[in-house]
């Protein structure tokens, strides 16, 4: 008997050997990506309205980022754990970041991811204040490590992993009354400056200023997570600039590396130095601040500045708001190119997302809001591409 063996497809191999994160991955096979488009192996293109969840702010494979990666790969790769040697990509990138940040955010600790930035900030806050209390907000998402999960503002997602860190509490977002829960026992309050996975929630300026004041009064450190909303996405380099406040610790990742893995927690030199003694090496990382990631991040920040991407964001937001005009759209929330398009419920949204993908546009929903569509393209998206995106989305919505 003749058996014809068929090679398993890549999708079948994904399901067989890659650890699953859900029962229903999007499962698109992407062979190449450029600018705002991704291409499957047959050359079919998809307009990317997710951008790796706010990673590809300068578009996929920006030529200046790719050139910086290649140059650094030709010079040296990893040399030594973070902080021991002088490595010029790290020094240059830290200089650039300090130059675009307020004076009290002048000391950059590079890590590998957003969750690691959270972990570093938790340790820094506990060590610097000598307190244990940590506070965060309903529907907050700060990552998947144990510390980050402790700060998560959604019981359903974190409950199976208890016990987590002690002395933590979750308060209501944008609620003035709950600020009284911040006390002299609180080491730090963690907040996404604009909440992402909650379905894009923008707090009021008054609330942000009251939060800043309450933290200052009680000596609690204000930690702003700009892992999703940083690097120009909201129409400012950093979203806290919308609210005229400055955090004690700033957290960055995602859009920071132009597509390479990197994150950072940033504070004043005085605050940060508490991690380097009693004991020495209070926080260390092998790959944090990898030279290739720093070179890519440095090029990415230069691109954001040189191509005036931030300045282009408000007009692009306006165009999305004008052209997304299907009568079933309940609301468009957010700032800049960090938007959520609200539909009735998930039963209306999920088929709309499927139709978008069939028609060459990739989008999704939010972890804690499954009735709103994510609109977060690369900041390089053109007006024509916005018009194309909105027409596909409007056509995808059914009653
Ligand atoms: C606001 C926010 N904080 C933290 C994280 C965690 O970052 P990472 O996945 O790099 O650990 C994310 C990831 O989606 C995020 O959106």
């Amino acid at each position: 008997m003749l058996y014809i063996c068929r090679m398993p497809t890549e999708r079948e191999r994904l399901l067989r050997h890659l650890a699953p994160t859900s029962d229903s991955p999007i499962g698109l096979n992407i062979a190449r990506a450029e600018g705002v488009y991704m291409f499957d192996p047959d050359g079919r293109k998809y307009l990317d309205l997710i951008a790796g969840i706010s990673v590809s702010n300068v578009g996929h494979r920006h030529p200046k980022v790719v050139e910086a990666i290649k140059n650094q790969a030709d010079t040296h790769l990893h040399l030594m754990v973070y902080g021991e040697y002088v490595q010029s990509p790290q020094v240059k990138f830290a200089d650039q970041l300090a130059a675009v940040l307020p004076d009290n955010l002048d000391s950059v600790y590079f890590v590998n991811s957003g969750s690691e930035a959270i972990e570093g900030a938790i340790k820094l806050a506990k060590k610097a204040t000598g307190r244990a209390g940590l506070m965060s907000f309903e529907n907050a998402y700060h990552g998947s490590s144990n510390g980050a999960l402790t700060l998560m503002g959604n019981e359903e997602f974190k409950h199976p992993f208890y016990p987590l860190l002690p002395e933590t509490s979750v308060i209501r977002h944008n609620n003035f009354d709950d600020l009284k829960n911040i006390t002299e026992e609180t080491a730090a309050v963690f907040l996404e400056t604009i909440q992402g996975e909650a379905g894009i929630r923008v707090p009021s300026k008054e609330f942000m200023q009251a939060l800043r004041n309450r933290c200052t009064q009680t000596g609690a450190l204000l930690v702003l997570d700009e892992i999703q909303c940083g690097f120009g996405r909201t129409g400012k380099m950093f979203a806290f600039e919308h609210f005229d406040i400055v955090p004690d610790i700033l957290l960055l990742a995602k859009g920071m590396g132009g597509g390479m893995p990197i994150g950072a927690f940033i504070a004043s030199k005085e605050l940060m130095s508490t991690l380097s003694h009693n004991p020495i090496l209070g926080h260390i990382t092998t790959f944090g601040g990898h030279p290739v990631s720093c070179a890519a991040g440095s090029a990415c920040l230069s691109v954001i500045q040189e191509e005036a991407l931030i300045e282009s964001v408000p007009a692009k937001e306006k165009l999305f708001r004008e052209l997304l005009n299907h009568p079933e759209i309940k609301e468009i929330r957010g700032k800049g190119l960090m938007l959520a398009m609200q539909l009735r419920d998930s039963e209306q949204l999920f088929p709309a997302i499927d139709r978008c993908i069939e028609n060459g546009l990739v989008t999704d929903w939010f972890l804690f809001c499954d009735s709103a569509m994510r609109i977060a393209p690369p900041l390089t998206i053109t007006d024509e591409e916005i018009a194309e995106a909105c027409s596909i989305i409007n056509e995808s919505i059914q009653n």
Side-chain angles (χ1 to χ4, degrees), residues 66-77 291-292 295:
V66 173
E67 187 189 355
I69 292 169
K70 287 182 175 163
N71 287 343
Q72 186 54 43
D74 282 342
T75 311
H76 65 76
L77 299 179
V292 177

Side-chain angles (χ1 to χ4, degrees), residues 49 54 139 173-174 194-204 228-229 233-234 242-243 313 316-318 320-322 324 328-346 349 364-377:
L49 281 204
S54 295
N139 286 326
H173 189 240
N174 212 21
I194 291 180
Q195 284 193 322
E197 295 314 300
I200 314 296
R201 309 286 165 172
V202 185
S204 71
Q228 194 172 140
C229 62
R233 178 142 299 276
T234 68
H242 291 290
F243 304 99
V313 166
K316 291 175 182 177
E317 172 186 0
K318 190 158 170 269
F320 267 113
R321 287 182 182 274
E322 268 165 31
L324 286 174
E328 286 290 309
I329 299 172
K330 306 254 174 288
E331 182 190 15
I332 297 176
R333 282 189 299 275
K335 254 198 193 316
L337 293 177
M338 185 175 182
L339 299 174
M341 188 192 81
Q342 184 66 48
L343 291 184
R344 191 185 58 237
D345 52 24
S346 60
L349 178 67
D364 68 347
W365 39 279
F366 300 90
L367 199 53
F368 308 139
C369 178
D370 63 5
S371 52
M373 184 183 280
R374 192 187 307 272
I375 315 279

Side-chain angles (χ1 to χ4, degrees), residues 52-55 112-118 140-145 148 191-197 225-229 251-254 262-263 338 367 374:
I53 322 245
S54 295
V55 168
N112 303 283
S113 67
S115 298
E116 275 185 65
I118 297 279
Y141 181 80
H142 296 288
S144 270
S145 57
L191 173 66
E192 297 159 78
T193 314
I194 291 180
Q195 284 193 322
E197 295 314 300
D225 175 343
E226 299 236 358
I227 289 164
Q228 194 172 140
C229 62
L251 308 179
L252 303 174
K254 289 190 181 281
I262 187 164
M338 185 175 182
L367 199 53
R374 192 187 307 272

Side-chain angles (χ1 to χ4, degrees), residues 78-327:
H78 184 261
L79 300 176
M80 178 51 168
V81 295
Y82 177 81
E84 292 294 325
Y85 293 171
V86 179
Q87 300 188 48
S88 47
Q90 289 180 346
V91 176
K92 181 178 173 201
F93 194 22
D95 279 351
Q96 280 176 287
L97 287 166
V100 294
L101 284 167
D103 291 349
N104 70 318
L105 297 173
D106 62 348
S107 184
V108 181
Y109 197 120
F110 288 120
V111 291
N112 303 283
S113 67
S115 298
E116 275 185 65
I118 297 279
E119 297 297 328
I122 292 174
K123 284 174 67 182
L124 175 58
K126 286 163 75 176
K127 182 94 192 318
T129 62
R131 305 174 184 180
L134 300 174
M135 201 163 281
S136 57
F137 289 84
E138 271 182 7
N139 286 326
Y141 181 80
H142 296 288
S144 270
S145 57
N146 277 276
L149 203 55
T150 303
L151 301 173
M152 182 182 274
N154 181 296
E155 264 314 299
E156 187 191 336
F157 277 82
K158 68 193 232 190
H159 195 261
F161 303 100
Y162 279 164
L164 293 167
L165 292 183
E167 298 189 45
T168 53
S169 50
V170 172
I171 60 176
R172 286 171 293 177
H173 189 240
N174 212 21
N175 182 298
F176 289 84
D177 285 347
D178 280 10
L179 294 180
K180 63 178 179 310
N181 295 308
I182 303 169
T183 67
E184 276 76 18
E185 317 267 277
T186 312
V189 180
F190 285 73
L191 173 66
E192 297 159 78
T193 314
I194 291 180
Q195 284 193 322
E197 295 314 300
I200 314 296
R201 309 286 165 172
V202 185
S204 71
K205 190 166 180 174
E206 294 71 29
F207 174 77
M208 292 300 263
Q209 297 192 342
L211 169 65
R212 173 66 274 183
N213 289 339
R214 182 72 189 160
C215 286
T216 306
Q217 269 166 17
T218 54
L221 299 177
L222 176 59
V223 186
L224 290 183
D225 175 343
E226 299 236 358
I227 289 164
Q228 194 172 140
C229 62
F231 291 101
R233 178 142 299 276
T234 68
K236 300 272 187 196
M237 183 63 85
F238 300 108
F240 66 77
E241 296 168 34
H242 291 290
F243 304 99
D244 292 335
I245 58 162
V246 174
D248 299 299
I249 305 177
L250 178 67
L251 308 179
L252 303 174
K254 289 190 181 281
M256 182 174 186
M260 291 293 285
I262 187 164
F265 56 105
I266 304 181
S268 68
K269 193 93 206 154
E270 191 193 349
L271 205 56
M272 201 66 99
S273 66
T274 56
L275 280 182
S276 62
H277 56 268
N278 297 329
I280 60 159
L281 307 177
H283 194 73
I284 42 178
T285 162
T286 298
F287 285 117
H290 191 283
V292 177
S293 293
C294 281
S298 164
C300 174
L301 183 50
S302 299
V303 167
I304 292 173
Q305 292 170 318
E306 285 158 16
E307 297 188 7
L309 290 182
I310 296 176
E311 291 77 351
S312 77
V313 166
K316 291 175 182 177
E317 172 186 0
K318 190 158 170 269
L319 197 55
F320 267 113
R321 287 182 182 274
E322 268 165 31
L323 298 181
L324 286 174
N325 52 17
H326 193 287

Side-chain angles (χ1 to χ4, degrees), residues 42-69:
D42 300 323
R44 176 147 200 258
K45 68 176 185 178
Y46 295 90
L47 215 169
D48 186 2
L49 281 204
I50 302 180
I53 322 245
S54 295
V55 168
S56 309
N57 286 7
V58 298
H60 293 282
R61 294 188 70 253
H62 191 287
K64 293 212 169 130
V65 173
V66 173
E67 187 189 355
I69 292 169

